Each structure stands twice: as structure tokens, then as C-alpha cells.
Amino acid sequence: MREAYTDQLDSILDDLVIMTHQVKRAVSRATVALLSGDAAVAEEVISGDADIDSAREKIEEKSFELLALQQPVAGDLRQLVAGLRMVAELERMGDLSVHIAKVARLRTPNIAVPESMEPMFRQMASVAQQMVSKVAVVIAERDVDEAAELERADEEMDKLRRKSFAKILDEDWEYGVEPAIDIALLGRYYERIADHAVSLGRRVVFLVTGEHPVSED
Amino acid sequence: MREAYTDQLDSILDDLVIMTHQVKRAVSRATVALLSGDAAVAEEVISGDADIDSAREKIEEKSFELLALQQPVAGDLRQLVAGLRMVAELERMGDLSVHIAKVARLRTPNIAVPESMEPMFRQMASVAQQMVSKVAVVIAERDVDEAAELERADEEMDKLRRKSFAKILDEDWEYGVEPAIDIALLGRYYERIADHAVSLGRRVVFLVTGEHPVSED
């Protein structure tokens, strides 16, 4: 019983890893759409979100079956519930990629991000993508140390977001209100992706150690 | 066994109603802080979020105990898991109120929302508060019809958000970039509160009917 349970829990974690890769691709393609203004890529991200949603449904079904068949208690149960929360967060990261792609689509064939802000957004996106990659590793290898790295990467993201705010609020800002709003919202979407990555890392720490590393805000 | 389970599930739903009222107060006080620029009220919302977080923890503990003691299967299990998701969404709505309060605090003693936009934000906040109130009723009375009302209220919120965007992007916009960004982000926070309210309503429909009303985005 115990062993069957562990095998099936592992299989759910494997599914989460695959789903994390789907999310990583969504973040990456959304960024391409954003920085190239390519409407087809934006559409690909927007319509592709259905695959991430159905991955969520599949993993949820599997978790419910496992809950019903194995009736795990206490610690095991908490782990399965943690898995259910992880899948919800991954889906949300997919939604945030869709939000980014929709900003891109709204401005196409123009590019929402002014040229002078492009390096900053490239960096923001790169931090986000690296974080999502790291989440996949953390889940696959139950790597608690790598999970701690996510917290550091998140600080980098916060710094970038503050810098982007400084730019759009600078008196030298020459692009007007619309791009400033795009940038404020895009910054929020990338920041939320990073927040979810941190939260996923914390959930894995909880899965491995049974303890929450730090309180979530 | 079955009856004890139902009683305890009811008690969890009661706790969710109380927590929903806490969230409603947070949204309402955050709006007061926002539209008055009163730093003390903003601080109250920000520090008060700890109570909402601890309500979440209490309900989660109770759910885990129930899961462990009663070992519910299939439908019952899904209901408990739905409850766990509801509590997570309520906590998130508390966080969004904190975000609103933090924008208020950042601009105090000034008011983040320019006077000409105040009526629109008052309306947005009013829709959000009514939606949270409705969520409490929907949960308390398992009222599927009221849950459908939430979808309509959400359309109203989307319309208000679109109108607020039209204002800040209008060529007559005279307040510059900073208030425009505040308004874009504040609009997003209220909109997300409304989204969560809709999602909570759908979860209650699921609890009552065993069916998801519509696919979530």
C-alpha cells in the first residue's frame, strides 16, 4: 500500500515537471511575442493555454483517484494537497503568460515595450524563465537547496521591477502614458510568475522536509 | 460517520463565511484608505492581513483533521479540496486589499486617485464589496442562483476597468504618468478581487451540484 502510494505520488510529481516545462515554454514564447510584436506567436501562447489547463485537469484527476483509492492520512495527505496547490499555481503562471501575450497582441505590429526598455524586459523575462526552469529541477530532484535559490532570483526580479518603475516615472520618460501602463502591468505579470515560482519551491521544501521554510505573504 | 462528516464540513463552510466577512472588511477599509489618503487606515489593512492569514491556517488545519479522521472518498473528498481552494482564494483577496492599501500609503497624505477618477473607483470598490458580500451569502446558503449573479457583477467590473483605461489613455489626461500607473494597477487589483469572487461562487456551485458551471480561465 505504502509503496504503491509513493509510486503514484512520484508519478504526479513527474506530471508536474512536464507541466512546468509547458509553463516555461509559455513564458518564453510570450516574451518572444512581446519583444518582437509577432502576432502569430502571441496567438500561439493564447490558444496554447488550453493544453496547460488540460494538464492541470489530468493531474487533478489522478490526485483525486489516489486520494480515493489509497486514503492517505496526515503527512501523505498534506503532500497530495500540496501537489494540488502546485498544479493550480502552474496553471496560473500559464494564465500570466497569456496576459503578457495579450498585451503583445494589442500593440502588434508595434512593440509594447519601447526600445530603451527592451534590455530590462529581456532581463526580467530571463529571470522568470530561469526561475521556472529551476522549479522543474526542484520538483524533479526534490532539491531543497535549489529551492532557496528561487528566493534570491525573486529579489533580482523585484529589483528589476523597481528599476522599470523608476524609468517610467522619470521626468525624461518620453513615450507617454500608454507604454508606461503596459510596462507597469507587464512588470506585474513577470513579478507574479516569479512569486509563484518561489511559492512552488517552498511547497517542494514542505514536501521534502514537512516544514514550511518561511511564511508566505 | 456520514453525519459527523457533514457536520464538520458545515463547520468549515461556516468558518469560510466568517473569513469572507474579514475579507470584505479588508476590501472596504483599503478603499477608504485609498480614497481618503488616511495612512492609519492603510496601516490597519496592512497589519490586519495577519488575521486573515491565520484564519486560513485554522481552516486548513481543520480540513486536514477532517481528511485524516474521516477519510472521505470521491465526492466528499472533492468538496473538502474545493474548501481548501476557497480558503486560498480568500487569503489572496486579502493580499490584494493589502496591495490597494500600500498604493494608498505610498501617496499619503495625497490621494492616489485623481478627483475626476474618484467616482469610478468608488463604483469599482462598491462592485467588489458587493461581490464579496454575495460570496458570503452564496457560501452560507449554498445559493447557486446568487452565484450566477456574481458572473454578471464581474462583467460590470470589467466594464469599469475598461472605462478607467479609456480615461487614462485619453489625450485629455492631465495628471501624468504616475497616477495613470497607480490607476492601472489599482484597477487590476479590484478586477482580481472580482475574479476570485466569481471563482468562489463557481466552487460553491460545484459543492452543491457536483458540476463545474463553466470552465475557468
Side-chain angles (χ1 to χ4, degrees), chain A residues 165-208:
Chain A
F165 264 108
K167 280 245 184 190
I168 51 182
L169 295 173
D170 193 282
E171 57 184 21
D172 291 341
W173 178 255
E174 56 187 320
Y175 307 99
V177 170
E178 188 174 275
I181 292 169
D182 282 348
I183 281 162
L185 289 173
L186 288 164
R188 171 108 190 123
Y189 301 144
Y190 282 109
E191 187 196 26
R192 289 295 301 153
I193 289 170
D195 287 344
H196 283 296
V198 169
S199 170
L200 284 163
R202 287 176 185 167
R203 292 194 198 284
V204 173
V205 172
F206 171 67
L207 277 174
V208 172

Short mmCIF file of all heavy atoms in Angstrom, two decimals, chain A residues 165-208:
data_model
loop_
_atom_site.label_atom_id
_atom_site.label_comp_id
_atom_site.label_asym_id
_atom_site.label_seq_id
_atom_site.Cartn_x
_atom_site.Cartn_y
_atom_site.Cartn_z
N PHE A 165 10.02 50.78 -12.82
CA PHE A 165 9.17 51.86 -12.32
C PHE A 165 9.91 53.19 -12.33
O PHE A 165 9.36 54.22 -12.70
CB PHE A 165 8.69 51.55 -10.89
CG PHE A 165 7.33 50.92 -10.87
CD1 PHE A 165 7.17 49.59 -10.57
CD2 PHE A 165 6.20 51.66 -11.18
CE1 PHE A 165 5.92 49.00 -10.57
CE2 PHE A 165 4.94 51.09 -11.18
CZ PHE A 165 4.80 49.74 -10.87
N ALA A 166 11.16 53.15 -11.88
CA ALA A 166 11.95 54.38 -11.86
C ALA A 166 12.01 54.99 -13.27
O ALA A 166 11.89 56.20 -13.45
CB ALA A 166 13.36 54.09 -11.32
N LYS A 167 12.16 54.11 -14.27
CA LYS A 167 12.27 54.59 -15.66
C LYS A 167 10.97 55.27 -16.13
O LYS A 167 11.01 56.35 -16.70
CB LYS A 167 12.55 53.41 -16.60
CG LYS A 167 14.00 52.99 -16.62
CD LYS A 167 14.57 53.24 -18.01
CE LYS A 167 16.00 52.72 -18.09
NZ LYS A 167 16.65 53.15 -19.34
N ILE A 168 9.85 54.59 -15.89
CA ILE A 168 8.61 55.17 -16.42
C ILE A 168 8.17 56.40 -15.64
O ILE A 168 7.40 57.22 -16.12
CB ILE A 168 7.44 54.14 -16.50
CG1 ILE A 168 7.22 53.40 -15.19
CG2 ILE A 168 7.67 53.15 -17.62
CD1 ILE A 168 6.11 52.34 -15.26
N LEU A 169 8.68 56.54 -14.41
CA LEU A 169 8.32 57.72 -13.61
C LEU A 169 9.35 58.84 -13.74
O LEU A 169 9.15 59.94 -13.21
CB LEU A 169 8.14 57.33 -12.14
CG LEU A 169 6.97 56.37 -11.89
CD1 LEU A 169 6.96 55.91 -10.45
CD2 LEU A 169 5.63 57.04 -12.25
N ASP A 170 10.44 58.57 -14.45
CA ASP A 170 11.48 59.57 -14.62
C ASP A 170 10.94 60.74 -15.47
O ASP A 170 10.13 60.54 -16.38
CB ASP A 170 12.68 58.93 -15.33
CG ASP A 170 13.89 59.83 -15.26
OD1 ASP A 170 13.96 60.81 -16.04
OD2 ASP A 170 14.77 59.56 -14.42
N GLU A 171 11.41 61.93 -15.16
CA GLU A 171 10.90 63.08 -15.93
C GLU A 171 11.35 63.04 -17.39
O GLU A 171 10.77 63.71 -18.24
CB GLU A 171 11.27 64.42 -15.26
CG GLU A 171 12.76 64.59 -15.05
CD GLU A 171 13.08 65.89 -14.29
OE1 GLU A 171 12.17 66.40 -13.59
OE2 GLU A 171 14.22 66.36 -14.40
N ASP A 172 12.37 62.22 -17.66
CA ASP A 172 12.83 62.09 -19.04
C ASP A 172 12.00 61.09 -19.85
O ASP A 172 12.27 60.86 -21.03
CB ASP A 172 14.30 61.63 -19.08
CG ASP A 172 15.23 62.73 -18.58
OD1 ASP A 172 14.79 63.90 -18.57
OD2 ASP A 172 16.36 62.41 -18.19
N TRP A 173 11.05 60.45 -19.19
CA TRP A 173 10.21 59.48 -19.90
C TRP A 173 9.51 60.15 -21.07
O TRP A 173 8.80 61.14 -20.90
CB TRP A 173 9.18 58.87 -18.94
CG TRP A 173 8.25 57.89 -19.58
CD1 TRP A 173 6.94 58.07 -19.90
CD2 TRP A 173 8.57 56.55 -19.98
NE1 TRP A 173 6.42 56.93 -20.47
CE2 TRP A 173 7.39 55.99 -20.55
CE3 TRP A 173 9.73 55.77 -19.92
CZ2 TRP A 173 7.36 54.67 -21.03
CZ3 TRP A 173 9.68 54.47 -20.41
CH2 TRP A 173 8.51 53.93 -20.96
N GLU A 174 9.71 59.61 -22.28
CA GLU A 174 9.27 60.36 -23.46
C GLU A 174 8.16 59.65 -24.24
O GLU A 174 7.74 60.11 -25.29
CB GLU A 174 10.48 60.58 -24.40
CG GLU A 174 11.14 59.26 -24.77
CD GLU A 174 12.44 59.45 -25.56
OE1 GLU A 174 12.47 60.34 -26.41
OE2 GLU A 174 13.41 58.68 -25.33
N TYR A 175 7.70 58.50 -23.70
CA TYR A 175 6.78 57.69 -24.51
C TYR A 175 5.32 57.85 -24.16
O TYR A 175 4.45 57.21 -24.73
CB TYR A 175 7.19 56.22 -24.44
CG TYR A 175 8.64 55.96 -24.77
CD1 TYR A 175 9.59 55.80 -23.76
CD2 TYR A 175 9.06 55.90 -26.10
CE1 TYR A 175 10.92 55.58 -24.06
CE2 TYR A 175 10.39 55.69 -26.41
CZ TYR A 175 11.32 55.53 -25.39
OH TYR A 175 12.63 55.32 -25.69
N GLY A 176 5.03 58.67 -23.15
CA GLY A 176 3.63 58.89 -22.80
C GLY A 176 3.04 57.83 -21.88
O GLY A 176 3.76 56.96 -21.38
N VAL A 177 1.74 57.93 -21.72
CA VAL A 177 1.06 57.13 -20.70
C VAL A 177 0.88 55.67 -21.11
O VAL A 177 1.11 54.76 -20.32
CB VAL A 177 -0.32 57.77 -20.38
CG1 VAL A 177 -1.16 56.85 -19.51
CG2 VAL A 177 -0.12 59.12 -19.66
N GLU A 178 0.48 55.43 -22.35
CA GLU A 178 0.13 54.06 -22.74
C GLU A 178 1.27 53.06 -22.55
O GLU A 178 1.08 52.03 -21.89
CB GLU A 178 -0.39 54.04 -24.18
CG GLU A 178 -0.96 52.70 -24.58
CD GLU A 178 -1.60 52.75 -25.95
OE1 GLU A 178 -2.78 53.13 -26.02
OE2 GLU A 178 -0.93 52.44 -26.95
N PRO A 179 2.45 53.34 -23.08
CA PRO A 179 3.54 52.38 -22.85
C PRO A 179 3.91 52.26 -21.36
O PRO A 179 4.31 51.19 -20.91
CB PRO A 179 4.72 52.96 -23.64
CG PRO A 179 4.12 53.90 -24.61
CD PRO A 179 2.89 54.45 -23.95
N ALA A 180 3.73 53.36 -20.62
CA ALA A 180 4.04 53.31 -19.18
C ALA A 180 3.11 52.31 -18.48
O ALA A 180 3.53 51.52 -17.63
CB ALA A 180 3.90 54.70 -18.55
N ILE A 181 1.84 52.34 -18.86
CA ILE A 181 0.88 51.41 -18.26
C ILE A 181 1.18 49.98 -18.69
O ILE A 181 1.15 49.05 -17.88
CB ILE A 181 -0.55 51.81 -18.67
CG1 ILE A 181 -0.90 53.14 -18.01
CG2 ILE A 181 -1.56 50.73 -18.27
CD1 ILE A 181 -2.16 53.75 -18.55
N ASP A 182 1.47 49.81 -19.98
CA ASP A 182 1.84 48.47 -20.45
C ASP A 182 3.00 47.93 -19.60
O ASP A 182 2.98 46.78 -19.16
CB ASP A 182 2.28 48.51 -21.92
CG ASP A 182 1.08 48.57 -22.87
OD1 ASP A 182 -0.06 48.35 -22.41
OD2 ASP A 182 1.30 48.85 -24.07
N ILE A 183 3.98 48.79 -19.38
CA ILE A 183 5.18 48.34 -18.66
C ILE A 183 4.87 48.05 -17.20
O ILE A 183 5.35 47.06 -16.64
CB ILE A 183 6.29 49.41 -18.82
CG1 ILE A 183 6.92 49.20 -20.21
CG2 ILE A 183 7.35 49.29 -17.73
CD1 ILE A 183 7.70 50.37 -20.70
N ALA A 184 4.02 48.86 -16.59
CA ALA A 184 3.64 48.60 -15.19
C ALA A 184 2.93 47.25 -15.07
O ALA A 184 3.21 46.47 -14.17
CB ALA A 184 2.75 49.73 -14.67
N LEU A 185 2.01 46.99 -16.01
CA LEU A 185 1.26 45.74 -15.93
C LEU A 185 2.13 44.54 -16.31
O LEU A 185 2.10 43.50 -15.65
CB LEU A 185 0.01 45.80 -16.82
CG LEU A 185 -1.09 46.74 -16.31
CD1 LEU A 185 -2.21 46.87 -17.33
CD2 LEU A 185 -1.67 46.25 -14.97
N LEU A 186 2.92 44.70 -17.36
CA LEU A 186 3.82 43.61 -17.76
C LEU A 186 4.77 43.26 -16.62
O LEU A 186 5.02 42.08 -16.34
CB LEU A 186 4.62 44.01 -19.01
CG LEU A 186 3.84 44.06 -20.32
CD1 LEU A 186 4.62 44.83 -21.38
CD2 LEU A 186 3.48 42.66 -20.81
N GLY A 187 5.28 44.31 -15.96
CA GLY A 187 6.16 44.08 -14.82
C GLY A 187 5.47 43.28 -13.73
O GLY A 187 6.02 42.37 -13.15
N ARG A 188 4.20 43.63 -13.52
CA ARG A 188 3.40 42.89 -12.52
C ARG A 188 3.25 41.42 -12.93
O ARG A 188 3.34 40.53 -12.10
CB ARG A 188 2.04 43.56 -12.39
CG ARG A 188 1.04 42.79 -11.56
CD ARG A 188 0.78 43.44 -10.21
NE ARG A 188 0.00 42.58 -9.34
CZ ARG A 188 0.38 42.17 -8.15
NH1 ARG A 188 1.54 42.55 -7.65
NH2 ARG A 188 -0.37 41.39 -7.42
N TYR A 189 3.02 41.15 -14.22
CA TYR A 189 2.82 39.77 -14.65
C TYR A 189 4.10 38.95 -14.44
O TYR A 189 4.06 37.84 -13.90
CB TYR A 189 2.39 39.70 -16.12
CG TYR A 189 1.09 40.46 -16.41
CD1 TYR A 189 0.89 41.13 -17.61
CD2 TYR A 189 0.06 40.50 -15.46
CE1 TYR A 189 -0.29 41.82 -17.87
CE2 TYR A 189 -1.13 41.19 -15.72
CZ TYR A 189 -1.29 41.85 -16.92
OH TYR A 189 -2.46 42.54 -17.17
N TYR A 190 5.24 39.51 -14.85
CA TYR A 190 6.50 38.78 -14.65
C TYR A 190 6.78 38.59 -13.16
O TYR A 190 7.25 37.54 -12.73
CB TYR A 190 7.67 39.51 -15.33
CG TYR A 190 7.74 39.30 -16.82
CD1 TYR A 190 7.43 40.32 -17.72
CD2 TYR A 190 8.12 38.06 -17.34
CE1 TYR A 190 7.49 40.12 -19.10
CE2 TYR A 190 8.18 37.85 -18.72
CZ TYR A 190 7.87 38.89 -19.59
OH TYR A 190 7.93 38.68 -20.95
N GLU A 191 6.48 39.62 -12.39
CA GLU A 191 6.71 39.53 -10.94
C GLU A 191 5.84 38.43 -10.32
O GLU A 191 6.30 37.68 -9.45
CB GLU A 191 6.38 40.88 -10.30
CG GLU A 191 6.74 40.97 -8.82
CD GLU A 191 6.06 42.15 -8.14
OE1 GLU A 191 4.99 42.59 -8.62
OE2 GLU A 191 6.60 42.62 -7.14
N ARG A 192 4.60 38.32 -10.78
CA ARG A 192 3.70 37.29 -10.25
C ARG A 192 4.18 35.90 -10.66
O ARG A 192 4.06 34.94 -9.89
CB ARG A 192 2.27 37.51 -10.72
CG ARG A 192 1.56 38.70 -10.11
CD ARG A 192 1.34 38.58 -8.60
NE ARG A 192 0.54 37.43 -8.24
CZ ARG A 192 0.61 36.79 -7.07
NH1 ARG A 192 1.48 37.16 -6.15
NH2 ARG A 192 -0.15 35.76 -6.82
N ILE A 193 4.71 35.78 -11.87
CA ILE A 193 5.27 34.49 -12.30
C ILE A 193 6.40 34.11 -11.34
O ILE A 193 6.48 32.97 -10.86
CB ILE A 193 5.77 34.55 -13.77
CG1 ILE A 193 4.57 34.64 -14.73
CG2 ILE A 193 6.64 33.33 -14.10
CD1 ILE A 193 4.94 34.95 -16.18
N ALA A 194 7.25 35.08 -11.02
CA ALA A 194 8.36 34.84 -10.10
C ALA A 194 7.84 34.47 -8.70
O ALA A 194 8.34 33.55 -8.05
CB ALA A 194 9.27 36.06 -10.03
N ASP A 195 6.80 35.17 -8.25
CA ASP A 195 6.21 34.86 -6.93
C ASP A 195 5.72 33.41 -6.88
O ASP A 195 5.92 32.71 -5.89
CB ASP A 195 5.01 35.78 -6.64
CG ASP A 195 5.41 37.21 -6.33
OD1 ASP A 195 6.60 37.43 -6.03
OD2 ASP A 195 4.54 38.09 -6.37
N HIS A 196 5.05 33.01 -7.95
CA HIS A 196 4.54 31.63 -7.98
C HIS A 196 5.69 30.63 -7.98
O HIS A 196 5.60 29.57 -7.36
CB HIS A 196 3.64 31.41 -9.19
CG HIS A 196 2.27 31.99 -9.04
ND1 HIS A 196 1.37 31.55 -8.10
CD2 HIS A 196 1.64 33.00 -9.69
CE1 HIS A 196 0.25 32.25 -8.19
NE2 HIS A 196 0.38 33.14 -9.15
N ALA A 197 6.76 30.97 -8.69
CA ALA A 197 7.94 30.07 -8.72
C ALA A 197 8.49 29.90 -7.30
O ALA A 197 8.79 28.78 -6.87
CB ALA A 197 9.01 30.62 -9.66
N VAL A 198 8.58 31.00 -6.57
CA VAL A 198 9.06 30.94 -5.18
C VAL A 198 8.12 30.06 -4.35
O VAL A 198 8.56 29.19 -3.59
CB VAL A 198 9.15 32.35 -4.56
CG1 VAL A 198 9.37 32.29 -3.05
CG2 VAL A 198 10.27 33.14 -5.22
N SER A 199 6.85 30.28 -4.52
CA SER A 199 5.86 29.53 -3.76
C SER A 199 5.95 28.03 -4.09
O SER A 199 5.86 27.18 -3.20
CB SER A 199 4.48 30.11 -4.08
OG SER A 199 3.48 29.29 -3.56
N LEU A 200 6.14 27.71 -5.37
CA LEU A 200 6.29 26.30 -5.76
C LEU A 200 7.52 25.69 -5.10
O LEU A 200 7.47 24.56 -4.60
CB LEU A 200 6.40 26.21 -7.29
CG LEU A 200 5.08 26.37 -8.05
CD1 LEU A 200 5.34 26.68 -9.52
CD2 LEU A 200 4.24 25.11 -7.93
N GLY A 201 8.60 26.46 -5.08
CA GLY A 201 9.82 25.98 -4.43
C GLY A 201 9.56 25.69 -2.95
O GLY A 201 9.97 24.65 -2.42
N ARG A 202 8.82 26.60 -2.31
CA ARG A 202 8.51 26.40 -0.89
C ARG A 202 7.66 25.16 -0.67
O ARG A 202 7.81 24.45 0.32
CB ARG A 202 7.77 27.63 -0.34
CG ARG A 202 8.69 28.82 -0.17
CD ARG A 202 7.91 30.05 0.27
NE ARG A 202 8.78 31.22 0.32
CZ ARG A 202 8.35 32.47 0.44
NH1 ARG A 202 7.04 32.71 0.52
NH2 ARG A 202 9.20 33.46 0.49
N ARG A 203 6.77 24.91 -1.60
CA ARG A 203 5.91 23.73 -1.46
C ARG A 203 6.74 22.45 -1.57
O ARG A 203 6.45 21.45 -0.91
CB ARG A 203 4.80 23.75 -2.50
CG ARG A 203 3.80 24.88 -2.26
CD ARG A 203 2.54 24.71 -3.06
NE ARG A 203 1.80 25.96 -3.17
CZ ARG A 203 1.06 26.49 -2.19
NH1 ARG A 203 0.97 25.87 -1.04
NH2 ARG A 203 0.43 27.63 -2.37
N VAL A 204 7.75 22.49 -2.45
CA VAL A 204 8.61 21.30 -2.56
C VAL A 204 9.41 21.12 -1.27
O VAL A 204 9.55 20.00 -0.77
CB VAL A 204 9.55 21.41 -3.78
CG1 VAL A 204 10.55 20.25 -3.79
CG2 VAL A 204 8.75 21.41 -5.07
N VAL A 205 9.90 22.22 -0.71
CA VAL A 205 10.60 22.14 0.58
C VAL A 205 9.68 21.49 1.62
O VAL A 205 10.08 20.60 2.38
CB VAL A 205 11.05 23.53 1.07
CG1 VAL A 205 11.61 23.46 2.49
CG2 VAL A 205 12.09 24.12 0.11
N PHE A 206 8.43 21.89 1.58
CA PHE A 206 7.44 21.33 2.51
C PHE A 206 7.23 19.83 2.24
O PHE A 206 7.17 19.02 3.16
CB PHE A 206 6.13 22.10 2.36
CG PHE A 206 4.98 21.49 3.11
CD1 PHE A 206 4.97 21.46 4.49
CD2 PHE A 206 3.90 20.95 2.42
CE1 PHE A 206 3.89 20.90 5.18
CE2 PHE A 206 2.83 20.39 3.10
CZ PHE A 206 2.82 20.36 4.48
N LEU A 207 7.17 19.49 0.95
CA LEU A 207 7.01 18.07 0.59
C LEU A 207 8.16 17.23 1.13
O LEU A 207 7.98 16.12 1.61
CB LEU A 207 6.97 17.91 -0.94
CG LEU A 207 5.64 18.15 -1.64
CD1 LEU A 207 5.84 18.09 -3.15
CD2 LEU A 207 4.62 17.11 -1.21
N VAL A 208 9.38 17.79 1.02
CA VAL A 208 10.58 17.03 1.38
C VAL A 208 10.80 17.02 2.89
O VAL A 208 11.08 15.99 3.49
CB VAL A 208 11.82 17.63 0.66
CG1 VAL A 208 13.11 16.98 1.16
CG2 VAL A 208 11.69 17.45 -0.84
#
